[in-house]
Amino acid sequence: MPDSSRVLVLNSGSSSLKFALLDPHSGEQYLSGIGEALGSSEPLLSWRSPGQKHSRQLDGGAAHAVVIELLVRELLEETSLAQGALIAVGHRVVHGGERFARSALIDQQVIDTIAECADLAPLHNPPGLLGIHAAINAFPELPQVAVFDTAFHQTLPRHAYLYALPYSLYRDQRIRRYGMHGSSHRFVSERAADLLGKPLQETNLISAHLGNGASLTAVKNGESVDTSMGLTPLEGLVMGTRCGDVDAGLLMHLGDALGFSLEKIGCLLNRESGLLGISELSNDCRELERAAAEGHDGARLALEIFCYRLAKYIAAYTVPLQRIDALVFTGGIGENSAFVRQAVLCQLQHLGYQLDNHRNQSTRFGAEGRISKDGTAAALVIPTNEEWIIARDAASLVERGD
Ligand code: ADP
C-alpha cells in the first residue's frame, strides 16, 4: 500500500452525512465535515480542512448523494489528493446482527444482510445503506468496507446477551442484547493497552463511552464480555435524552393507566428523558454543570442520577472481569467533564480508585492520560477516534484482499 494512502470514512444518519478523509496509518485527518438537515428545505454542508473552515447552503431537498457528489467534484480536489491515493471508502454501519463479528468488504451479499438487520435498527441501517449506495455510484472502482457498531460485542457470552424472556424470542426473532459504540470501545481498549504497556489480549478494562449516547463495556483479555446497551441503544446508562434502564412494567403502566400510544412512549423514552427529562433544562452536560453550580436543582439532580447509575454499572462489571487494569473515560463527557469523572470515582473508592485532582482538572480537550493517583486503581481518559478505526479496518481489508 502506498505511504500516501487515504480512506474516505462515511457515517450516514437519516438526515445527516458525516465524512472524513484520513491516513489509515497515522490517523491524520485531511478533511472532515457534515451534511445536515439533508432532504429538508435548507440542507447545510460544513467542512474543515487543515487551518480552514467552510460551509455552504445546499439546494432544498439535497440528500446523501448530493453531498457525496460534491465531495468527489470539489472537496477531495481541495486536499490535492494524489490520483490513486484514495484506496477505499469505509462506512459506519450501526447493526450487523449476529452475522458480522468483524468488518466486511461490501458486496451484494453484505448489502442484503445489512438490509435484513434493518428491522433491528430501523432508524440507522436504512440511512447507512443510502450512504453505501451513493458511495458505490460515486466511486465504482473503489473497495467499500462496512464497519459495524455491534461487531466488537459479538464476543459476549450467552449469559450476558440473553434477556430472561421466552427463549423462542431469541431463536425466532433474534431478540437479544447486541450493544453499540463497538468501534469506540475497541479503539480506546487498544490505546489503553498501549498506555499500560500490556498486550491487548492480556488486558482487562472497563470502557465508558459518554457522549449524547452513553454505554459501558467490560473488556476481558481484549474482548467485550458485557456491555450496557441492548437490543437498542435505549438500555443501560442515563443518556442525554434517553432514559437507560427502566422497569419494563413502566411501559404497560404508561399504555394502560395513562393511555400513551407506543409512538408516544418511544418518543418519551428516547427523546424526552435522560439528562434533559430530569433537569427540565438541557441534555448538554456543560450547560447542566453551569446551572448546577448556580444552584439549579434539576441540573444537580440530573447529574447526580447520571453519575450514580454509571458508578453502579462500573461496580457491576467487576463481576465478569474480577481483575481490572484500567477504567477508561471517553466521548464528549468522558473526555471533558472533570465534574462527572470526579463524581463517579468518589463513589468507587472501595474499588481502589483515588482521584488526582490536578490530573483530572487538566485532562480535557483532546488530552489523554491518567486521572487517578499513582499506586491506586488506574483511571484513564482516552479521546475516542471511531473514524480512525473505520479507516484502519478498511485499509487492512483492502491490503489483505479478503
Ligand atoms: P455524540 O454522542 O453526539 O457524538 P459527543 O461525544 O460529542 O456526543 O458528546 C456530547 C456531550 O459532551 C454533551 O453532553 C456535551 O455537553 C459534553 N461535553 C462536551 N464538552 C464538554 C465539556 N467541556 N464539559 C462537559 N461536558 C462536555
Side-chain angles (χ1 to χ4, degrees):
M1 195 185 313
D3 280 348
S4 59
S5 58
R6 309 272 188 271
V7 173
L8 177 64
V9 173
L10 299 178
N11 180 355
S12 308
S14 53
S15 62
S16 70
L17 176 69
K18 291 188 197 157
F19 54 87
L21 177 72
L22 61 163
D23 181 323
H25 304 293
S26 67
E28 187 179 351
Q29 288 207 1
Y30 299 93
L31 177 74
S32 64
I34 182 167
E36 290 170 282
L38 299 180
S40 77
S41 56
E42 292 189 341
L44 182 71
L45 176 66
S46 32
W47 71 100
R48 61 169 69 201
S49 42
Q52 288 182 312
K53 271 182 167 178
H54 316 260
S55 67
R56 184 191 297 182
Q57 201 72 52
L58 302 176
D59 291 340
H64 300 67
V66 173
V67 175
I68 292 180
E69 201 191 308
L70 275 170
L71 259 170
V72 177
R73 269 212 326 263
E74 296 179 32
L75 305 186
L76 295 180
E77 271 174 31
E78 206 177 274
T79 62
S80 47
L81 186 71
Q83 275 288 324
L86 189 59
I87 57 162
V89 183
H91 298 265
R92 175 189 178 215
V93 180
V94 168
H95 221 303
E98 292 187 325
R99 300 287 289 280
F100 296 103
R102 52 188 56 83
S103 302
L105 267 177
I106 295 175
D107 57 16
Q108 192 53 45
Q109 203 182 355
V110 169
I111 289 176
D112 292 345
T113 311
I114 295 171
E116 279 165 29
C117 295
D119 57 338
L120 296 170
L123 299 179
H124 294 102
N125 275 23
L129 283 171
L130 269 182
I132 289 172
H133 286 302
I136 290 174
N137 280 336
F139 303 99
E141 75 291 357
L142 278 185
Q144 313 269 336
V145 171
V147 179
F148 301 91
D149 262 25
T150 48
F152 184 58
H153 302 301
Q154 278 298 297
T155 44
L156 255 61
R158 279 197 309 180
H159 61 257
Y161 72 65
L162 281 177
Y163 292 114
L165 294 168
Y167 192 76
S168 57
L169 283 176
Y170 169 61
R171 194 175 43 230
D172 303 337
Q173 307 294 334
R174 296 171 294 153
I175 290 177
R176 50 159 282 183
R177 311 181 61 254
Y178 288 95
M180 314 278 151
H181 291 145
S183 299
S184 175
H185 290 299
R186 195 177 126 208
F187 179 85
V188 298
S189 299
E190 291 176 12
R191 186 69 197 129
D194 277 353
L195 289 176
L196 295 167
K198 293 185 74 155
L200 180 63
Q201 298 73 11
E202 293 169 19
T203 305
N204 287 5
L205 302 160
I206 297 180
S207 162
H209 177 106
L210 311 174
N212 276 314
S215 70
L216 195 73
T217 293
V219 178
K220 189 172 190 175
N221 298 325
E223 293 186 340
S224 173
V225 292
D226 207 345
T227 193
S228 61
M229 284 181 168
L231 174 73
T232 75
L234 196 50
E235 190 179 340
L237 304 177
V238 176
M239 308 180 213
T241 60
R242 295 187 203 128
C243 57
D245 294 340
V246 289
D247 177 355
L250 168 72
L251 310 186
M252 279 81 83
H253 181 78
L254 291 174
D256 290 343
L258 304 183
F260 283 21
S261 67
L262 269 182
E263 194 188 345
K264 188 164 176 179
I265 293 174
C267 187
L268 180 103
L269 303 181
N270 278 295
R271 301 209 200 113
E272 297 168 4
S273 297
L275 293 174
L276 172 67
I278 303 162
S279 69
E280 299 185 306
L281 180 70
S282 171
N283 63 324
D284 188 308
C285 184
R286 262 168 306 200
E287 201 176 327
L288 294 181
E289 286 181 32
R290 274 194 295 270
E294 287 163 8
H296 189 290
D297 194 49
R300 211 177 269 167
L301 182 62
L303 290 168
E304 212 175 293
I305 297 174
F306 180 92
C307 295
Y308 173 66
R309 173 90 56 90
L310 178 55
K312 207 163 71 158
Y313 253 96
I314 291 169
Y317 283 176
T318 62
V319 173
L321 295 181
Q322 300 290 315
R323 187 200 83 239
I324 299 160
D325 296 309
L327 164 63
V328 183
F329 290 94
T330 194
I333 297 174
E335 292 166 30
N336 294 299
S337 176
F339 175 94
V340 165
R341 296 186 307 235
Q342 173 170 17
V344 170
L345 288 200
C346 272
Q347 298 178 68
L348 296 171
Q349 293 184 41
H350 63 292
L351 297 180
Y353 291 98
Q354 280 189 37
L355 192 76
D356 180 314
N357 268 321
H358 173 70
R359 286 178 180 167
N360 186 39
Q361 291 298 335
S362 54
T363 308
R364 49 177 81 193
F365 308 127
E368 70 177 14
R370 184 182 175 111
I371 55 165
S372 55
K373 290 183 183 158
D374 291 338
T376 71
L380 310 175
V381 173
I382 300 180
T384 194
N385 194 333
E386 290 157 279
E387 290 83 11
W388 194 8
I389 277 270
I390 294 171
R392 268 172 19 196
D393 274 15
S396 72
L397 274 170
V398 169
E399 204 172 27
R400 292 206 314 262
D402 57 11

Short mmCIF file of all heavy atoms in Angstrom, two decimals, residues 11 18 92 181 209-214 239-240 242 275 282-290 303 306 330-340 364-365 384 386, ligand 1:
data_model
loop_
_atom_site.label_atom_id
_atom_site.label_comp_id
_atom_site.label_asym_id
_atom_site.label_seq_id
_atom_site.Cartn_x
_atom_site.Cartn_y
_atom_site.Cartn_z
N ASN A 11 -20.34 8.30 7.56
CA ASN A 11 -21.24 7.92 8.65
C ASN A 11 -22.60 8.55 8.35
O ASN A 11 -22.79 9.75 8.55
CB ASN A 11 -20.65 8.46 9.97
CG ASN A 11 -21.51 8.11 11.17
OD1 ASN A 11 -22.61 7.56 11.03
ND2 ASN A 11 -21.02 8.44 12.34
N LYS A 18 -21.86 12.40 7.87
CA LYS A 18 -20.54 12.88 8.32
C LYS A 18 -19.50 12.22 7.44
O LYS A 18 -19.64 11.05 7.08
CB LYS A 18 -20.29 12.49 9.77
CG LYS A 18 -21.16 13.20 10.76
CD LYS A 18 -20.68 12.89 12.18
CE LYS A 18 -21.75 13.23 13.19
NZ LYS A 18 -21.66 12.53 14.44
N ARG A 92 -19.55 3.51 8.43
CA ARG A 92 -20.03 3.09 9.73
C ARG A 92 -21.42 2.50 9.53
O ARG A 92 -22.31 3.16 8.98
CB ARG A 92 -20.11 4.28 10.68
CG ARG A 92 -20.72 3.87 11.98
CD ARG A 92 -21.02 5.04 12.87
NE ARG A 92 -21.65 4.58 14.09
CZ ARG A 92 -22.60 5.25 14.74
NH1 ARG A 92 -23.01 6.41 14.30
NH2 ARG A 92 -23.13 4.76 15.83
N HIS A 181 -21.69 1.30 19.96
CA HIS A 181 -20.43 2.03 20.20
C HIS A 181 -19.21 1.12 20.13
O HIS A 181 -18.17 1.41 20.73
CB HIS A 181 -20.42 2.69 21.60
CG HIS A 181 -21.38 3.84 21.77
ND1 HIS A 181 -22.03 4.08 22.96
CD2 HIS A 181 -21.78 4.79 20.91
CE1 HIS A 181 -22.80 5.14 22.82
NE2 HIS A 181 -22.67 5.59 21.59
N HIS A 209 -18.00 5.00 27.34
CA HIS A 209 -18.19 5.97 26.24
C HIS A 209 -19.37 6.85 26.64
O HIS A 209 -20.53 6.41 26.65
CB HIS A 209 -18.48 5.24 24.92
CG HIS A 209 -18.76 6.19 23.80
ND1 HIS A 209 -17.86 6.45 22.80
CD2 HIS A 209 -19.84 6.97 23.55
CE1 HIS A 209 -18.36 7.35 21.99
NE2 HIS A 209 -19.58 7.68 22.41
N LEU A 210 -19.07 8.10 26.97
CA LEU A 210 -20.10 9.02 27.47
C LEU A 210 -20.24 10.21 26.53
O LEU A 210 -19.48 11.18 26.61
CB LEU A 210 -19.72 9.52 28.88
CG LEU A 210 -19.30 8.44 29.90
CD1 LEU A 210 -18.83 9.09 31.19
CD2 LEU A 210 -20.46 7.48 30.16
N GLY A 211 -21.18 10.10 25.60
CA GLY A 211 -21.48 11.23 24.71
C GLY A 211 -22.95 11.54 24.88
O GLY A 211 -23.50 11.35 25.98
N ASN A 212 -23.64 11.97 23.82
CA ASN A 212 -25.09 12.10 23.92
C ASN A 212 -25.72 10.74 24.16
O ASN A 212 -26.63 10.58 24.95
CB ASN A 212 -25.65 12.73 22.66
CG ASN A 212 -25.55 14.24 22.74
OD1 ASN A 212 -25.89 14.83 23.77
ND2 ASN A 212 -25.06 14.85 21.69
N GLY A 213 -25.19 9.73 23.43
CA GLY A 213 -25.48 8.34 23.78
C GLY A 213 -24.37 7.88 24.70
O GLY A 213 -23.25 8.39 24.60
N ALA A 214 -24.65 6.94 25.59
CA ALA A 214 -23.60 6.51 26.52
C ALA A 214 -23.68 5.01 26.73
O ALA A 214 -24.79 4.46 26.83
CB ALA A 214 -23.76 7.24 27.85
N MET A 239 -28.65 8.80 29.58
CA MET A 239 -28.01 9.50 28.45
C MET A 239 -28.57 10.90 28.32
O MET A 239 -29.35 11.35 29.17
CB MET A 239 -28.21 8.69 27.17
CG MET A 239 -27.79 7.25 27.38
SD MET A 239 -28.00 6.21 25.95
CE MET A 239 -28.39 4.66 26.78
N GLY A 240 -28.18 11.60 27.24
CA GLY A 240 -28.63 12.98 27.06
C GLY A 240 -30.15 13.08 27.09
O GLY A 240 -30.72 13.84 27.88
N ARG A 242 -32.07 9.89 26.49
CA ARG A 242 -32.61 8.52 26.68
C ARG A 242 -32.54 8.15 28.15
O ARG A 242 -31.59 8.50 28.85
CB ARG A 242 -31.79 7.51 25.87
CG ARG A 242 -31.89 7.69 24.39
CD ARG A 242 -31.19 6.53 23.67
NE ARG A 242 -30.80 6.96 22.35
CZ ARG A 242 -29.58 6.84 21.85
NH1 ARG A 242 -28.62 6.28 22.57
NH2 ARG A 242 -29.30 7.26 20.64
N LEU A 275 -30.84 13.17 30.86
CA LEU A 275 -30.42 14.44 31.49
C LEU A 275 -31.47 15.53 31.23
O LEU A 275 -31.80 16.31 32.12
CB LEU A 275 -29.07 14.89 30.93
CG LEU A 275 -27.86 14.01 31.28
CD1 LEU A 275 -26.61 14.50 30.52
CD2 LEU A 275 -27.59 14.02 32.78
N SER A 282 -31.82 20.88 29.94
CA SER A 282 -30.96 20.64 28.79
C SER A 282 -30.42 19.21 28.81
O SER A 282 -30.34 18.58 29.87
CB SER A 282 -29.78 21.62 28.84
OG SER A 282 -28.83 21.28 27.85
N ASN A 283 -30.03 18.72 27.62
CA ASN A 283 -29.33 17.43 27.56
C ASN A 283 -27.82 17.65 27.50
O ASN A 283 -27.05 16.71 27.41
CB ASN A 283 -29.77 16.64 26.31
CG ASN A 283 -29.40 17.37 25.03
OD1 ASN A 283 -29.44 18.59 24.98
ND2 ASN A 283 -29.01 16.63 24.01
N ASP A 284 -27.40 18.90 27.54
CA ASP A 284 -25.99 19.23 27.36
C ASP A 284 -25.30 19.28 28.72
O ASP A 284 -25.64 20.11 29.57
CB ASP A 284 -25.90 20.59 26.65
CG ASP A 284 -24.49 20.93 26.26
OD1 ASP A 284 -23.59 20.87 27.13
OD2 ASP A 284 -24.27 21.25 25.08
N CYS A 285 -24.32 18.40 28.90
CA CYS A 285 -23.66 18.25 30.19
C CYS A 285 -23.01 19.57 30.64
O CYS A 285 -23.07 19.94 31.81
CB CYS A 285 -22.63 17.14 30.07
SG CYS A 285 -21.81 16.76 31.59
N ARG A 286 -22.41 20.30 29.68
CA ARG A 286 -21.76 21.58 30.02
C ARG A 286 -22.75 22.54 30.64
O ARG A 286 -22.49 23.17 31.66
CB ARG A 286 -21.23 22.25 28.74
CG ARG A 286 -19.80 22.02 28.47
CD ARG A 286 -19.48 22.47 27.08
NE ARG A 286 -20.39 21.82 26.12
CZ ARG A 286 -20.14 21.71 24.83
NH1 ARG A 286 -19.05 22.22 24.34
NH2 ARG A 286 -20.99 21.10 24.02
N GLU A 287 -23.92 22.65 29.98
CA GLU A 287 -24.93 23.59 30.47
C GLU A 287 -25.43 23.17 31.85
O GLU A 287 -25.66 24.00 32.72
CB GLU A 287 -26.09 23.61 29.46
CG GLU A 287 -26.92 24.86 29.58
CD GLU A 287 -27.99 24.90 28.50
OE1 GLU A 287 -27.75 24.39 27.38
OE2 GLU A 287 -29.07 25.44 28.78
N LEU A 288 -25.58 21.87 32.04
CA LEU A 288 -26.06 21.38 33.34
C LEU A 288 -25.03 21.66 34.43
O LEU A 288 -25.39 22.01 35.55
CB LEU A 288 -26.36 19.88 33.26
CG LEU A 288 -27.53 19.52 32.34
CD1 LEU A 288 -27.77 18.02 32.35
CD2 LEU A 288 -28.81 20.26 32.75
N GLU A 289 -23.75 21.49 34.10
CA GLU A 289 -22.71 21.78 35.11
C GLU A 289 -22.76 23.25 35.52
O GLU A 289 -22.67 23.58 36.71
CB GLU A 289 -21.32 21.44 34.57
CG GLU A 289 -21.07 19.95 34.53
CD GLU A 289 -19.67 19.61 34.03
OE1 GLU A 289 -18.72 20.39 34.27
OE2 GLU A 289 -19.52 18.57 33.37
N ARG A 290 -22.93 24.13 34.51
CA ARG A 290 -23.01 25.57 34.82
C ARG A 290 -24.23 25.87 35.69
O ARG A 290 -24.13 26.54 36.71
CB ARG A 290 -23.10 26.39 33.53
CG ARG A 290 -21.75 26.72 32.92
CD ARG A 290 -21.89 27.81 31.86
NE ARG A 290 -22.69 27.39 30.72
CZ ARG A 290 -22.18 26.81 29.63
NH1 ARG A 290 -20.89 26.58 29.55
NH2 ARG A 290 -22.96 26.46 28.64
N LEU A 303 -27.42 15.34 37.02
CA LEU A 303 -26.01 14.92 37.05
C LEU A 303 -25.77 13.86 38.12
O LEU A 303 -25.01 12.91 37.93
CB LEU A 303 -25.10 16.13 37.29
CG LEU A 303 -25.03 17.11 36.11
CD1 LEU A 303 -24.36 18.41 36.52
CD2 LEU A 303 -24.29 16.47 34.93
N PHE A 306 -27.15 10.58 36.77
CA PHE A 306 -26.24 10.14 35.70
C PHE A 306 -25.01 9.46 36.31
O PHE A 306 -24.62 8.35 35.91
CB PHE A 306 -25.84 11.37 34.87
CG PHE A 306 -24.91 11.09 33.72
CD1 PHE A 306 -25.42 10.82 32.46
CD2 PHE A 306 -23.54 11.11 33.89
CE1 PHE A 306 -24.56 10.57 31.38
CE2 PHE A 306 -22.68 10.87 32.83
CZ PHE A 306 -23.19 10.59 31.58
N THR A 330 -14.25 8.06 27.88
CA THR A 330 -14.14 8.64 26.54
C THR A 330 -15.48 9.24 26.12
O THR A 330 -16.45 9.20 26.88
CB THR A 330 -13.63 7.59 25.52
OG1 THR A 330 -13.24 8.27 24.33
CG2 THR A 330 -14.70 6.56 25.18
N GLY A 331 -15.56 9.81 24.89
CA GLY A 331 -16.78 10.50 24.44
C GLY A 331 -16.76 11.94 24.97
O GLY A 331 -15.94 12.27 25.85
N GLY A 332 -17.63 12.79 24.45
CA GLY A 332 -17.62 14.21 24.79
C GLY A 332 -17.62 14.47 26.29
O GLY A 332 -16.89 15.33 26.79
N ILE A 333 -18.44 13.73 27.05
CA ILE A 333 -18.50 13.93 28.51
C ILE A 333 -17.28 13.27 29.17
O ILE A 333 -16.61 13.88 30.01
CB ILE A 333 -19.82 13.36 29.08
CG1 ILE A 333 -21.01 14.11 28.48
CG2 ILE A 333 -19.83 13.42 30.59
CD1 ILE A 333 -22.38 13.55 28.87
N GLY A 334 -16.98 12.04 28.77
CA GLY A 334 -15.86 11.32 29.38
C GLY A 334 -14.53 12.02 29.17
O GLY A 334 -13.67 12.04 30.05
N GLU A 335 -14.38 12.66 28.00
CA GLU A 335 -13.10 13.31 27.69
C GLU A 335 -12.98 14.69 28.33
O GLU A 335 -11.88 15.18 28.54
CB GLU A 335 -12.95 13.45 26.16
CG GLU A 335 -12.77 12.13 25.46
CD GLU A 335 -12.97 12.22 23.95
OE1 GLU A 335 -12.69 13.29 23.37
OE2 GLU A 335 -13.41 11.22 23.36
N ASN A 336 -14.14 15.32 28.59
CA ASN A 336 -14.09 16.73 29.00
C ASN A 336 -14.64 17.06 30.38
O ASN A 336 -14.30 18.11 30.92
CB ASN A 336 -14.88 17.58 27.99
CG ASN A 336 -14.22 17.57 26.64
OD1 ASN A 336 -13.08 18.00 26.50
ND2 ASN A 336 -14.91 17.03 25.65
N SER A 337 -15.49 16.21 30.92
CA SER A 337 -16.14 16.62 32.16
C SER A 337 -15.38 16.11 33.40
O SER A 337 -15.56 14.98 33.86
CB SER A 337 -17.59 16.11 32.22
OG SER A 337 -18.13 16.44 33.47
N ALA A 338 -14.53 17.00 33.93
CA ALA A 338 -13.81 16.68 35.17
C ALA A 338 -14.84 16.45 36.29
O ALA A 338 -14.63 15.62 37.18
CB ALA A 338 -12.86 17.81 35.52
N PHE A 339 -15.95 17.17 36.21
CA PHE A 339 -17.00 17.07 37.24
C PHE A 339 -17.57 15.65 37.30
O PHE A 339 -17.67 15.04 38.36
CB PHE A 339 -18.11 18.07 36.90
CG PHE A 339 -19.30 18.00 37.81
CD1 PHE A 339 -19.40 18.82 38.92
CD2 PHE A 339 -20.34 17.09 37.57
CE1 PHE A 339 -20.49 18.74 39.77
CE2 PHE A 339 -21.43 17.00 38.41
CZ PHE A 339 -21.51 17.83 39.52
N VAL A 340 -17.96 15.11 36.13
CA VAL A 340 -18.55 13.76 36.10
C VAL A 340 -17.52 12.72 36.54
O VAL A 340 -17.82 11.84 37.35
CB VAL A 340 -19.08 13.44 34.67
CG1 VAL A 340 -19.36 11.96 34.50
CG2 VAL A 340 -20.34 14.26 34.39
N ARG A 364 -8.43 17.34 29.45
CA ARG A 364 -9.62 17.64 28.64
C ARG A 364 -9.18 18.16 27.28
O ARG A 364 -7.99 18.30 27.03
CB ARG A 364 -10.55 18.62 29.34
CG ARG A 364 -9.84 19.85 29.89
CD ARG A 364 -10.83 20.81 30.50
NE ARG A 364 -11.22 20.44 31.84
CZ ARG A 364 -12.26 20.96 32.49
NH1 ARG A 364 -13.03 21.84 31.91
NH2 ARG A 364 -12.54 20.63 33.73
N PHE A 365 -10.16 18.43 26.43
CA PHE A 365 -9.91 18.99 25.09
C PHE A 365 -8.91 18.15 24.29
O PHE A 365 -7.89 18.65 23.81
CB PHE A 365 -9.45 20.45 25.19
CG PHE A 365 -10.37 21.29 26.02
CD1 PHE A 365 -9.89 22.05 27.07
CD2 PHE A 365 -11.74 21.28 25.77
CE1 PHE A 365 -10.76 22.80 27.86
CE2 PHE A 365 -12.62 22.03 26.56
CZ PHE A 365 -12.12 22.78 27.59
N THR A 384 -11.68 9.26 21.98
CA THR A 384 -12.03 8.20 21.03
C THR A 384 -11.76 8.68 19.59
O THR A 384 -11.60 9.87 19.33
CB THR A 384 -13.50 7.78 21.20
OG1 THR A 384 -13.68 6.55 20.50
CG2 THR A 384 -14.48 8.83 20.67
N GLU A 386 -13.39 7.04 16.27
CA GLU A 386 -14.06 5.98 15.51
C GLU A 386 -13.69 6.02 14.04
O GLU A 386 -13.60 4.99 13.38
CB GLU A 386 -15.58 6.10 15.68
CG GLU A 386 -16.02 5.73 17.09
CD GLU A 386 -17.34 6.33 17.50
OE1 GLU A 386 -17.38 7.51 17.89
OE2 GLU A 386 -18.34 5.62 17.43
P1 ADP B 1 -22.29 12.35 20.36
O1 ADP B 1 -22.80 11.14 21.09
O2 ADP B 1 -23.38 13.17 19.75
O3 ADP B 1 -21.10 12.07 19.46
P2 ADP B 1 -20.32 13.74 21.99
O4 ADP B 1 -19.40 12.58 22.20
O5 ADP B 1 -19.87 14.86 21.15
O6 ADP B 1 -21.76 13.27 21.55
O7 ADP B 1 -20.66 14.31 23.46
C1 ADP B 1 -21.58 15.33 23.65
C2 ADP B 1 -21.65 15.62 25.15
O8 ADP B 1 -20.35 16.02 25.61
C3 ADP B 1 -22.60 16.76 25.50
O9 ADP B 1 -23.38 16.39 26.64
C4 ADP B 1 -21.66 17.88 25.88
O10 ADP B 1 -22.24 18.73 26.83
C5 ADP B 1 -20.50 17.11 26.50
N1 ADP B 1 -19.32 17.95 26.59
C6 ADP B 1 -18.56 18.43 25.58
N2 ADP B 1 -17.58 19.26 26.08
C7 ADP B 1 -17.76 19.30 27.42
C8 ADP B 1 -17.09 19.96 28.50
N3 ADP B 1 -16.06 20.77 28.29
N4 ADP B 1 -17.53 19.74 29.76
C9 ADP B 1 -18.59 18.93 29.99
N5 ADP B 1 -19.25 18.28 29.02
C10 ADP B 1 -18.86 18.45 27.75
#
